[in-house]
Amino acid sequence: MDKLLVRGGRALRGEVVISGAKNAALPEMCAALLTDEPVHLINVPRLHDVRTMRRLLDNMGVKTETHGERGGMSFVAPDALSPEAPYELVKTMRASVLALGPLLARFGEATISLPGGCAIGSRPVDQHIKGLQAMGAHIVVEHGYMIAKLPAGQQRLRGARITTDMITVTGTENLLMAATLAEGETVLENAAQEPEVTDLAEMLIAMGARIEGHGTSRIRIQGVERLHGCTHQVVADRIEAGTFLCAVAAAGGEAFLRHARADHLDAVIDKLLEAGARVAAEGDGIRISSPGGAELKAQSFRTTEYPGFPTDMQAQFMALNVVAQGTAMVAETIFENRFMHVNELARLGAQIAIDGRVATVTGGARLSGATVMATDLRASASLVIAGLIASGETLVDRIYHLDRGYDAMEAKLRGLGADIERIQ
Ligand SMILES: CC(=O)N[C@H]1[C@@H](OP(=O)(O)OP(=O)(O)OC[C@H]2O[C@@H](n3ccc(=O)[nH]c3=O)[C@H](O)[C@@H]2O)O[C@H](CO)[C@@H](O)[C@@H]1O
Ligand SMILES: C=C(OP(=O)(O)O)C(=O)O
């Protein structure tokens, strides 16, 4: 199992290129299921999750190809394919559930393994099921699989007004994709407004879908009979960008994040500014400079849906808070169990107390390197950031979590001057 060895204490300087977003590329790969024409994606990140999604699509009978240097991928989903997602693939990547909506909309059936929980929470998919049922699908859960079908004699899903009980990102994406081929109008109330949802909607519009209101909490979709192929560029990964912002803020130095979108990171950038870092949009990216975490002020925040502070940035910002001055309260409101990094940060010397969904960080810690264990994707990133500021060597074990969602993280950090290597 690969590990990362980080020798801390170096400032980060230079330029890093931000990749396409995992959370946009994965639904967009599934959107290719909505048409038999070729779909081309550009700027697909090189990630384990992308390879898993490709295997899932290959397994169904989709013809997939990669090409070019710029993360080019193309997909052709023929009329005859097997609309199934087996447990073996779904268990390693929850986003496999994004195949459900498109398969049901185009083929009238789908059998998808239930994703189950993961290290950050129980993560049910009841809202995806409820929404598709409102559109006329029959869905039963048997032997760990969601078996979805249209009623006998019905060719297409039917448009419906759907209000999800909570804001769900992949739920919104699944229902949005399903609604593009449904009969009549679908209105998604309480829709997620994340930039990845908007990027998916723009791709679907390029395929011929009729969608309005994406980027707001009410999305209206007029179903069409068929969609066609398209070429679409995957939006930049705001979480990868936010992770590098926190790394530079904590380690000190100056960096330019090429392709990063400041307008997708308002909540994180506001907190970095309040902490005392200098961050600004510049040309095709974001520039940051920081005197180092120990000179910054720890920041309280609570995670909420977009445009609030992203839960996917909570762990990385906490690593910065640990060395910054003062005390900060961090409230996690999206997932019930997303503080798994806290005990590992404590092994490096962090002072953090957890009370339910709130972690109180007493800043000013002097971290010293140790062996730590990554428990989920963003927890891994927070441990890497902590390693960059700890004295001595930090060995981050189980980095397969990191590889799920970061494109060449250690190479990018090395490009900024970090002392970090992968040990196989
Ligand atoms: C591939 C992808 O895009 N993953 C992102 C997506 O995950 P994902 O789409 O799985 O997260 P959701 O937005 O659905 O989850 C939000 C909350 O709603 C709950 N819920 C959700 C659906 C449902 O049917 N029932 C239910 O109870 C979840 O357990 C969670 O507590 O959004 C999360 C929240 O921004 C991010 O952390 C993930 O990185
Ligand atoms: C939780 C995340 O991803 P996923 O939904 O794919 O588990 C994440 O990207 O931080």
Side-chain angles (χ1 to χ4, degrees), residues 15-319:
E15 177 172 317
V16 60
V17 177
I18 299 303
S19 300
K22 162 177 93 70
N23 288 352
L26 298 174
E28 288 166 1
M29 291 170 78
C30 288
L33 290 166
L34 290 163
T35 177
D36 60 352
E37 293 185 15
V39 166
H40 303 285
L41 291 177
I42 306 166
N43 202 31
V44 179
R46 280 160 229 248
L47 307 173
H48 200 269
D49 271 7
V50 164
R51 287 190 284 276
T52 306
M53 187 60 89
R54 185 177 180 188
R55 275 172 62 209
L56 190 85
L57 295 173
D58 283 340
N59 194 60
M60 288 177 193
V62 178
K63 294 184 189 69
T64 62
E65 265 177 40
T66 52
H67 37 81
E69 284 295 296
R70 294 186 54 220
M73 274 187 110
S74 53
F75 308 85
V76 179
D79 283 333
L81 58 70
S82 128
E84 286 175 18
Y87 177 67
E88 287 61 41
L89 293 170
V90 177
K91 73 176 180 195
T92 65
M93 187 187 63
R94 296 180 41 84
S96 314
V97 75
L98 286 161
L100 177 62
L103 285 175
L104 194 52
R106 173 150 165 234
F107 299 95
E109 56 173 331
T111 301
I112 312 282
S113 170
L114 266 179
C118 73
I120 63 175
S122 64
R123 307 186 72 178
V125 289
D126 55 303
Q127 301 300 307
H128 304 229
I129 295 177
K130 177 181 114 169
L132 293 168
Q133 284 171 334
M135 297 172 82
H138 285 173
I139 305 182
V140 291
V141 175
E142 261 173 23
H143 308 297
Y145 279 79
M146 295 178 278
I147 303 169
K149 284 191 181 70
L150 291 185
Q154 196 177 312
Q155 304 297 317
R156 293 166 69 189
L157 288 165
R158 299 211 171 108
R161 185 178 197 93
I162 301 165
T163 308
T164 45
D165 294 356
M166 76 291 293
I167 299 174
T168 154
V169 176
T170 50
T172 301
E173 292 166 345
N174 237 337
L175 299 175
L176 172 63
M177 289 189 277
T180 58
L181 289 179
E183 221 177 303
E185 181 181 76
T186 299
V187 181
L188 302 179
E189 300 281 4
N190 210 19
Q193 301 175 41
E194 270 65 4
E196 295 77 22
V197 176
T198 305
D199 199 57
L200 170 66
E202 281 163 7
M203 171 181 175
L204 294 168
I205 291 169
M207 294 172 75
R210 293 174 59 199
I211 302 171
E212 281 173 10
H214 44 295
T216 76
S217 62
R218 177 183 294 136
I219 307 181
R220 274 179 198 279
I221 307 109
Q222 310 292 335
V224 295
E225 272 184 38
R226 58 188 310 272
L227 294 176
H228 50 74
C230 76
T231 298
H232 176 78
Q233 175 160 340
V234 180
V235 68
D237 195 319
R238 67 195 162 98
I239 306 301
E240 186 196 24
T243 302
F244 278 94
L245 289 177
C246 285
V248 177
E254 179 177 355
F256 181 65
L257 278 54
R258 187 165 296 283
H259 304 327
R261 294 272 303 259
D263 57 329
H264 292 167
L265 274 164
D266 285 336
V268 174
I269 291 176
D270 283 354
K271 289 292 166 191
L272 288 169
L273 291 172
E274 283 168 41
R278 297 178 64 166
V279 189
E282 183 186 299
D284 171 34
I286 303 177
R287 185 168 298 279
I288 174 165
S289 63
S290 162
E295 313 264 326
L296 301 182
K297 290 191 290 282
Q299 296 299 310
S300 296
F301 61 89
R302 66 198 282 280
T303 63
T304 51
E305 297 85 359
Y306 190 84
F309 194 101
T311 173
D312 292 352
M313 280 303 304
Q314 181 254 107
Q316 302 90 310
F317 208 106
M318 196 184 290

Side-chain angles (χ1 to χ4, degrees), residues 348-368:
L348 300 173
Q351 302 282 324
I352 307 170
I354 299 177
D355 183 7
R357 291 193 166 205
V358 178
T360 304
V361 184
T362 306
R366 286 172 170 268
L367 301 185
S368 64

Side-chain angles (χ1 to χ4, degrees), residues 313-342:
M313 280 303 304
Q314 181 254 107
Q316 302 90 310
F317 208 106
M318 196 184 290
L320 168 61
N321 272 343
V322 157
V323 292
Q325 298 304 313
T327 300
M329 314 269 273
V330 173
E332 171 58 54
T333 76
I334 307 291
F335 292 110
E336 68 268 23
N337 190 29
R338 210 170 193 183
F339 282 141
M340 300 286 278
H341 41 288
V342 165

